[in-house]
Amino acid sequence: MVDETADSNRWDADDYDGNHSFVAEYGTDVLERLEAMADERILDLGCGTGHLTARIAATGATAVGVDSAAEMIERAREAHPETQFVRADARTMSFDAPFDAVFSNAALHWIPDEEQDATLRSVRDALRPGGRFVAELGGTGNVERIVEATLAELESRGYDAESPWYFPSVGEYAGRLEDHGLEVRFARLFDRPTELEAGEDGLRNWLEMFGDSLFEPVPADEQAAVIGAVEDRLEASLYDRDEETWTADYRRLRFRAVRL
């Protein structure tokens, strides 16, 4: 569920569906706020492997899934051949006909701060007047402990890295939406501690899936040791030894806006 600007992250569709299925599962609540109807045309922005796009299509709506990652689009087409999927860049995407709604789950935070305005212009252009934009992304403070521990460990080893994600506050993102003619009707920032899959390997798998750019400066033969050290830093706060479960400190920003 990414944009072209995040292509440094390598996406393994099998691992994404196998060890990180919670991404789509948590999108169920966002789908309910979308309130898709059978006669609508709906764009799923950052569709990943297409499971939520297919659920939108199951309502009878005409659903189109968009993602810039070729691996994700290929898997989405294989898994849901009856649904349309398009590989495109969120900043420059364009369509022949407007949409009644744009939906996005866990994708917008992959787009850097400086590229958000181009993305919101594209979203507005994709919507008909009165069309709605319903989305959830990481909000301010999302996975803060994980990011801080990882950056601290990298710095201690002499590596320079920075977070690849954009996690805005309600006020910040609401302002950006309204600057692009998208009137905010609902917005909420909330804590959502998220249990990672795969037991004691949960955090390692999460970092390997989503943290490519964080570990880009680290030689391949040292990355396992760095991740192990990050696990040591976080074990006391995020790992339950009795349950053998890691819980990521997620915070989410959910909103509904309407094109004026």
Side-chain angles (χ1 to χ4, degrees):
M1 293 187 175
V2 296
D3 183 75
E4 199 72 34
T5 53
D7 274 355
S8 61
N9 203 78
R10 297 181 299 276
W11 293 97
D12 183 326
D14 289 332
D15 189 27
Y16 186 83
D17 279 345
N19 287 320
H20 306 91
S21 60
F22 64 85
V23 177
E25 290 168 2
Y26 275 114
T28 298
D29 290 344
V30 196
L31 275 182
E32 291 176 358
R33 189 164 289 276
L34 176 65
E35 299 179 331
M37 293 186 290
D39 61 346
E40 291 189 310
R41 177 174 156 84
I42 299 176
L43 178 68
D44 182 2
L45 178 60
C47 64
T49 52
H51 300 311
L52 295 178
T53 321
R55 290 184 62 179
I56 294 170
T59 68
T62 299
V64 179
V66 170
D67 204 291
S68 70
E71 301 90 338
M72 296 299 205
I73 290 294
E74 181 180 358
R75 173 56 57 84
R77 288 170 176 165
E78 291 173 354
H80 309 288
E82 71 287 351
T83 303
Q84 182 181 0
F85 294 97
V86 178
R87 188 183 181 199
D89 184 336
R91 301 166 299 178
T92 57
M93 62 183 181
S94 62
F95 300 90
D96 293 335
F99 291 88
D100 297 289
V102 175
F103 170 83
S104 184
N105 178 62
L108 292 169
H109 52 245
W110 284 99
I111 301 170
D113 186 343
E114 62 272 16
E115 303 291 345
Q116 288 285 331
D117 290 325
T119 301
L120 294 179
R121 281 194 296 271
S122 291
V123 169
R124 183 187 183 281
D125 290 345
L127 284 168
R128 64 165 176 79
R132 63 201 185 279
F133 184 21
V134 178
E136 182 176 295
L137 67 154
T140 183
N142 189 56
V143 294
E144 187 171 69
R145 290 182 180 178
I146 295 175
V147 171
E148 288 180 350
T150 302
L151 294 180
E153 183 60 32
L154 290 170
E155 183 179 1
S156 74
R157 294 169 180 257
Y159 297 113
D160 185 21
E162 59 183 25
S163 171
W165 302 296
Y166 169 68
F167 298 139
S169 67
V170 170
E172 177 183 353
Y173 212 67
R176 294 188 98 144
L177 289 163
E178 294 190 346
D179 284 346
H180 293 282
L182 297 162
E183 183 178 78
V184 178
R185 302 288 179 85
F186 166 88
R188 179 188 173 209
L189 176 68
F190 58 98
D191 294 334
R192 197 195 69 200
T194 299
E195 184 176 307
L196 303 180
E197 299 174 37
E200 64 180 10
D201 293 328
L203 180 61
R204 177 175 297 270
N205 288 348
W206 190 93
L207 288 168
E208 289 175 348
M209 170 59 69
F210 300 115
D212 280 357
S213 61
L214 283 169
F215 299 105
E216 188 174 7
V218 183
D221 61 359
E222 191 183 344
Q223 288 186 10
V226 174
I227 291 175
V230 173
E231 289 176 320
D232 291 342
R233 287 175 179 264
L234 291 169
E235 182 176 357
S237 59
L238 298 183
Y239 187 63
D240 185 327
R241 280 193 167 276
D242 293 333
E243 299 294 331
E244 296 185 342
T245 301
W246 288 94
T247 299
D249 53 329
Y250 274 41
R251 301 189 84 210
R252 312 311 276 177
L253 172 57
R254 185 178 297 172
F255 65 84
R256 182 179 185 274
V258 174
R259 177 184 167 175
L260 298 176

